Amino acid sequence: MSGNEEQAPQVPLLDDDAMDELFEFLDSDRVDPEALTLFGAHGFLMALAISPAATPAQLWVAEIFNGEPNFEDAAQHDRILAHLETLHANAANVLESGQIPELPFDLEIDVDESPIDTPVGEWCAGFMTGVFMQDDAWFSEQEEQAAQLLLPFMALSELFEEEDPDLAAMASSHEQANHLARQLPDLTLDLYLLYRVPPEKPKAHGPKKGAAQQKKGGQKKNRRR
């Protein structure tokens, strides 16, 4: 993107009241300490919306909560699950329309912070949890392209520090981490398009003069791709 090009507007996936209620619930003692945070759940559901394979709701709900939460009552149960289902559905709808989803945090990481201690790192870790949940679907046919697009998510999640020092080094400086973080919204759409939009095929043309002679013994000339 050039410096003079306007950035596409981003679309929020939930209203503020729903986001606040989800944040408070996932930050409370009503859920397991290992449950995903709001930012982790947001990234996780974004990854599931991008994935070419569907995940049953009961599986992703269990992954978010790491067990069964202690809901206050049936009404709270229904509201929380409805918020999560709406977030998941809206992510898919926004990407399907070719728009950029809004991430629920500031993409600028403070100079004295490690990415994993910020909403950016939590969101990327949640996103990668969604990828790991369906790694066959993510990498079976588009491995090289997917791996390239996922590099910022992987580096900022800091899940690979021990096994891949080179990857960890991508976000080792404040400037590099912020450069990667600013790419995240656009990359969600790039990943969605990778899986959902088939590559363009050459346009078919009508027969031209001498086409039969060109084809005979020279089919390779007509196969430019």
Side-chain angles (χ1 to χ4, degrees), residues 27-224:
D27 194 46
S28 72
D29 57 7
R30 291 188 174 276
V31 299
D32 187 271
E34 298 300 318
L36 296 180
T37 64
L38 168 68
F39 307 116
H42 192 287
F44 175 72
L45 291 175
M46 180 70 69
L48 296 191
I50 292 170
S51 174
T55 300
Q58 63 267 29
L59 294 183
W60 59 252
V61 167
E63 184 71 26
I64 289 174
F65 293 132
N66 195 42
E68 180 65 25
N70 178 27
F71 291 104
E72 182 179 296
D73 51 33
Q76 184 185 54
H77 169 276
D78 293 346
R79 286 197 313 275
I80 295 298
L81 292 188
H83 293 335
L84 293 171
E85 289 169 356
T86 299
L87 196 163
H88 181 248
N90 285 349
N93 291 337
V94 167
L95 293 168
E96 177 64 25
S97 68
Q99 296 176 291
I100 307 295
E102 181 182 85
L103 306 190
F105 46 80
D106 188 351
L107 293 173
E108 191 75 17
I109 300 171
D110 290 341
V111 67
D112 58 345
E113 288 184 312
S114 172
I116 196 59
D117 297 324
T118 69
V120 174
E122 291 179 16
W123 187 90
C124 288
F127 191 98
M128 292 309 303
T129 298
V131 173
F132 296 149
M133 197 172 187
Q134 299 179 321
D135 56 353
D136 287 344
W138 281 80
F139 299 112
S140 61
E141 295 184 4
Q142 307 281 2
E143 182 175 4
E144 184 175 347
Q145 299 97 316
Q148 187 67 31
L149 292 172
L150 286 170
L151 283 176
F153 302 82
M154 298 168 71
L156 291 168
S157 74
E158 296 190 353
L159 297 176
F160 305 88
E161 280 189 307
E162 295 183 2
E163 62 187 77
D164 194 336
D166 291 337
L167 180 60
M170 289 180 61
S172 60
S173 75
H174 176 249
E175 183 178 352
Q176 289 173 314
N178 279 317
H179 174 67
L180 296 176
R182 287 190 289 268
Q183 299 178 45
L184 295 174
D186 288 336
L187 286 173
T188 61
L189 181 57
D190 291 343
L191 283 163
Y192 186 85
L193 294 177
L194 175 67
Y195 292 108
R196 305 305 177 105
V197 179
E200 290 187 6
K201 297 180 179 179
K203 293 182 179 180
H205 298 285
K208 297 181 180 179
K209 184 178 180 180
Q213 293 179 351
Q214 293 174 8
K215 186 174 182 181
K216 184 179 180 180
Q219 292 181 345
K220 292 183 179 179
K221 294 181 181 180
N222 293 329
R223 297 178 63 87
R224 294 183 295 173

